[in-house]
Amino acid sequence: MRRSPAWSRDIFAWTLFDFANTGFYVVMISVVFPTFFNDVIAGGNEAYWGRAISASMLITALIGPLLGSMADATNRKKLYLGLFTTACIAATAAAYGTGPGTLMLAVFLLMVANIGFEGGTIFYDAFLPEITTPEHYSRVSGYGFAMGYLGSLVILGIILPILSAEGRTSDDVRLTFIIAAGFFAIFSVPLFMRLKEHRRSIPDEDRLLIVGYRRLRQTFTQIRQYQGVRRFLLAYFVYNDSILTVIAFASIYGKESLKMELSELILFFMVVQIMALVGSLLFGRITANIGARMAIIITLTIWLGI
């Protein structure tokens, strides 16, 4: 496929959003906020963190299919992506005001931020068919993942000096939440400025929810005919949620069980991001050659073995 400059710029703008939102994810879900939440806000009770994450993922799971139908039915994906992104950024910045005695506020902000992140991802992914062709989905998706891991690496490098400094205070830790919000806001701008939507809108946008539910019902009706899709969705539910559980508790486990300092956790996650960046680029090409199913089996075998 011959790549025009416009094709390349569209894909770059799209991948920059992954660069931006993964910066949020690594600070607020994977590394810094989990330990701050557990130690300072929840008083060491890890169950509160698990319940907040579980609740946010449950809500996302319930609204996700409808959001997907809406993304398919309208050319206003950018608007809905903007709304979810704004909610995530605002809740992340507001987390600066959390601390001892703010458990319910922190839980609420965490849920809003995570729902904003996960819900926005649905509309972000829906842009893929508009910026490339089906035979290049796996490779371009790999570029997006690579940019995401690069974003994680960059923001970890930014906050490492802050969290490694002697005499670090809780204000320093909370400052990283503002940095994560700003990082997400700045690097998400190119997508909204550059990408255009080419699909026709539904005739009456006031009926968008009705159309979304109708398409969702049609999807569940038709999926019964495709045993492979049903098996894949069940398998994906099991293995993806298992991986997300490990990610959500990794920093708490490292700090509580392995007695790692926050600065050590950041260095550890920086090494992980470098390996993930290489792996995403590598497996983007591998998937194009051997197919998605075999690539998933290989990665899951590696993951389970480790």
Side-chain angles (χ1 to χ4, degrees):
M1 176 179 176
R2 187 175 179 179
R3 301 180 185 179
S4 68
W7 188 88
S8 298
R9 288 195 294 269
D10 285 350
I11 289 178
F12 183 67
W14 182 78
T15 60
L16 271 180
F17 189 87
D18 221 331
F19 182 90
N21 71 5
T22 313
F24 148 80
Y25 195 83
V26 76
V27 172
M28 299 302 294
I29 305 298
S30 300
V31 186
V32 184
F33 191 59
T35 57
F36 180 82
F37 182 98
N38 188 60
D39 296 345
V40 178
I41 299 173
N45 189 337
E46 299 160 6
Y48 286 114
W49 176 259
R51 290 167 185 164
I53 291 291
S54 298
S56 66
M57 295 304 292
L58 176 60
I59 293 172
T60 304
L62 293 174
I63 66 174
L66 175 61
L67 296 180
S69 297
M70 291 168 61
D72 289 338
T74 178
N75 68 348
R76 305 196 70 181
K77 294 187 293 292
K78 197 185 297 186
L79 171 63
Y80 301 123
L81 176 59
L83 292 175
F84 278 91
T85 298
T86 300
C88 180
I89 292 170
T92 300
Y96 182 83
T98 60
T102 62
L103 178 60
M104 291 300 102
L105 173 63
V107 167
F108 173 75
L109 292 176
L110 172 62
M111 290 177 61
V112 170
N114 203 33
I115 292 170
F117 170 82
E118 298 288 350
T121 299
I122 294 172
F123 295 102
Y124 168 70
D125 290 341
F127 273 105
L128 186 60
E130 300 194 13
I131 61 173
T132 190
T133 53
E135 63 267 24
H136 290 90
Y137 283 171
S138 59
R139 183 168 297 184
V140 173
S141 180
Y143 293 156
F145 276 101
M147 284 291 283
Y149 294 128
L150 180 61
S152 301
L153 192 60
V154 170
I155 199 168
L156 286 171
I158 292 172
I159 67 175
L160 179 59
I162 299 173
L163 300 180
S164 299
E166 292 187 16
R168 183 191 72 223
T169 66
S170 62
D171 288 343
D172 296 323
V173 177
R174 291 185 294 124
L175 177 61
T176 65
F177 309 156
I178 300 294
I179 294 173
F183 190 88
F184 195 174
I186 292 170
F187 289 104
S188 65
V189 168
L191 181 147
F192 295 102
M193 297 293 290
R194 174 73 193 174
L195 294 192
K196 295 179 175 60
E197 299 179 71
H198 307 294
R199 295 180 179 177
R200 250 173 31 183
S201 179
I202 59 175
D204 184 358
E205 293 198 54
D206 291 335
R207 299 176 61 247
L208 180 59
L209 288 177
I210 297 175
V211 173
Y213 275 115
R214 183 179 301 152
R215 292 175 67 94
L216 181 60
R217 186 176 65 250
Q218 292 171 350
T219 299
F220 278 110
T221 300
Q222 295 171 359
I223 203 174
R224 297 172 185 170
Q225 305 171 24
Y226 302 98
Q227 293 293 330
V229 175
R230 292 167 60 183
R231 285 196 298 268
F232 169 76
L233 291 176
L234 176 61
Y236 182 80
F237 171 79
V238 173
Y239 81 70
N240 191 59
D241 279 19
S242 300
I243 292 171
L244 292 176
T245 301
V246 171
I247 293 172
F249 281 91
S251 60
I252 293 177
Y253 174 77
K255 191 171 187 300
E256 298 298 323
S257 299
L258 304 182
K259 309 303 179 184
M260 297 174 71
E261 295 292 332
L262 188 54
S263 58
E264 293 176 315
L265 282 171
I266 292 174
L267 287 171
F268 169 74
F269 271 90
M270 290 179 74
V271 173
V272 170
Q273 301 311 309
I274 293 172
M275 295 302 298
L277 192 158
V278 173
S280 62
L281 290 174
L282 177 63
F283 272 90
R285 293 181 176 274
I286 291 175
T287 301
N289 291 322
I290 68 173
R293 180 177 182 275
M294 185 56 64
I296 290 174
I297 291 173
I298 292 172
T299 55
L300 287 179
T301 300
I302 295 171
W303 192 80
L304 288 169
I306 293 175

